[in-house]
Amino acid sequence: MRVLAIESSCDETAAAVVDESGRVFADVVRSQVKLHAPYGGVVPELASRDHMRAVSLVVREALDRVGGFSNIDGIAATTRPGLAGALLVGVQAAKGIAWARDLPFVAVDHLVGHLLAAFLEREGSPTDKPEYPFIALLASGGHTAIYRVDGPELSQIKELGGTRDDAAGEAFDKIAKLLGLGYPGGPIVDRLAAQGRAENFPVPMPMARRDSLELSFSGLKSYVARALAERGMPKDEAEIADICAGFQRAAIGSLVTKTLRAAKAEGVDTVVLAGGVAANRELRTRAAAACEKAGKRLVVPAFASCTDNAAMIAYVGALRLARGERDDFSVPTATRTSLVRTTRKGGGPR
Ligand code: KG4
Ligand code: ZN
């Protein structure tokens, strides 16, 4: 079952062809990052317009790589969660292709795509795929939560705890903005933190004393903003690096602590990282050390599988189609995930 999928939920226009074993035949991602950089974040209207320009280009490129429609058995698209206008572009394109080619169509939840991205087979993928059940930490620019994944179906995925406010990647982006470092902030803060000393800028780890698996990142931003207001903007690169290191130690510390706590509480032996923040080097090394100490196996997907892409959507679509599932063309888009959320948003740390 080779599936062509389109992803347009945020600021990447992507198309890919993948089968239900996770084999990646084509994976095309066109990032809008330069378009949004001057604004320090994604501008929804600009995102939708750029998806309109790019969607047919990425689809054509993916199809060229697999030799055209004769090698496609079904169509999938990210229908939720994401920016309303951005989602519509990819979903309408996918429905149009499915209708014109008389191919079956399925809707895919973007978060399920991230959670199963470790099953994709491509260069840089882990040699051993995860086994169910596993605990997944999904940390991206729009979402941050810890899940128990018992299987690939929606009903087999349970949120154990999520952020009460900002996503982890959003916190990296906001810190970078405060320090005038550019967008997206994650990779920049990651690089600078490696050169800095966290001891020189100690930041308290959010929600550390709580037993719950809930997370919070907005306080970290306020903490850094307050410190900068009190002591003034950093005078040199070394001071910026120390601030990045202090912030990153607290943010990553809370992600790793809560993820391991979840794995122990659930008695699950495999931990999987997912989402753009999984590219973070401190997250990778600290998660690896914590898993080794706890006797858990850590699976880190290839970098291209962590950041937004259509391959993870095509994989979930291929699994659904292989199970005989189909969606009709009336399936709507939605800004919220279809996964049940246990964490109440908006309350800040309790
Ligand atoms: O998964 P993704 O590509 O898109 C979303 O679905 O949001 O994640 C993008 C986010 C951004 O907030 C970016 O700053 C963050 O992931 N990110 C990182 C790193 N690379 C990307 N955060 C920390 N360290 C990194 N190395
Ligand atoms: Zn994403």
Side-chain angles (χ1 to χ4, degrees):
M1 181 59 83
R2 284 193 191 191
V3 171
L4 167 70
I6 301 179
E7 153 67 43
S8 68
S9 64
C10 189
D11 61 344
E12 266 87 25
T13 323
V17 180
V18 176
D19 70 12
E20 76 269 30
S21 73
R23 220 171 127 199
V24 179
F25 299 96
D27 180 27
V28 182
V29 182
R30 190 175 177 281
S31 171
Q32 302 179 350
V33 91
K34 285 204 183 86
L35 181 71
H36 302 292
Y39 307 95
V42 178
V43 183
E45 178 68 18
L46 293 182
S48 311
R49 286 167 186 264
D50 201 61
H51 286 310
M52 290 287 285
R53 279 190 284 268
V55 70
S56 57
L57 301 175
V58 295
V59 167
R60 190 161 297 279
E61 198 176 327
L63 282 172
D64 284 349
R65 290 199 197 159
V66 299
F69 274 112
S70 55
N71 292 312
I72 302 295
D73 307 304
I75 306 292
T78 303
T79 55
R80 61 196 301 173
L83 301 168
L87 284 166
L88 285 173
V89 177
V91 172
Q92 279 311 106
K95 285 178 180 174
I97 292 168
W99 182 78
R101 290 276 157 181
D102 199 20
L103 288 165
F105 170 76
V106 278
V108 173
D109 189 299
H110 182 83
L111 302 193
V112 178
H114 273 303
L115 291 171
L116 303 187
F119 291 95
L120 293 173
E121 289 172 18
R122 62 160 103 216
E123 210 183 312
S125 289
T127 35
D128 293 319
K129 294 185 182 188
E131 271 167 33
Y132 297 110
F134 59 81
I135 296 296
L137 167 66
L138 167 53
S140 73
H143 314 278
T144 297
I146 298 162
Y147 297 86
R148 179 189 167 110
V149 184
D150 283 290
E153 298 183 41
L154 272 177
S155 61
Q156 296 173 297
I157 302 175
K158 187 175 161 214
E159 187 199 290
L160 302 172
T163 180
R164 296 184 59 80
D165 38 60
D166 293 351
E170 193 178 353
F172 275 85
D173 295 338
K174 286 180 175 174
I175 295 298
K177 199 170 179 179
L178 278 176
L179 293 167
L181 297 176
Y183 174 85
I188 308 171
V189 172
D190 183 348
R191 183 170 49 77
L192 288 168
Q195 299 157 19
R197 293 165 65 101
E199 314 79 83
N200 291 347
F201 189 80
V203 179
M205 198 170 94
M207 317 236 333
R209 282 192 296 277
R210 293 163 211 274
D211 288 337
S212 88
L213 295 171
E214 294 188 351
L215 298 149
S216 166
F217 294 97
S218 67
L220 281 181
K221 192 202 95 178
S222 313
Y223 184 91
V224 175
R226 235 181 357 254
L228 292 180
E230 278 165 19
R231 57 190 260 172
M233 286 299 278
K235 290 170 282 302
D236 53 27
E237 180 117 336
E239 212 180 318
I240 296 178
D242 289 346
I243 296 169
C244 289
F247 155 77
Q248 184 172 280
R249 180 181 282 185
I252 299 299
S254 102
L255 290 171
V256 173
T257 306
K258 299 281 166 113
T259 303
L260 266 292
R261 189 178 291 168
K264 287 174 196 162
E266 295 288 318
V268 169
D269 290 332
T270 304
V271 172
V272 174
L273 302 184
V277 182
N280 186 273
R281 285 170 293 172
E282 186 171 342
L283 175 60
R284 287 172 177 232
T285 45
R286 286 180 68 179
C291 281
E292 195 178 334
K293 191 162 161 235
K296 310 283 181 198
R297 183 176 155 230
L298 178 70
V299 179
V300 185
F303 180 67
S305 302
C306 289
T307 49
D308 279 352
N309 64 87
M312 64 188 191
I313 307 303
Y315 174 62
V316 177
L319 291 177
R320 287 200 60 202
L321 286 166
R323 288 198 296 267
E325 296 174 25
R326 305 281 183 271
D327 285 313
D328 67 42
F329 292 144
S330 65
V331 66
T333 59
T335 54
R336 286 171 173 263
T337 178
S338 42
L339 293 171
V340 178
R341 284 221 302 251
T342 57
T343 301
R344 193 164 52 88
K345 276 258 205 178
R350 267 187 301 198

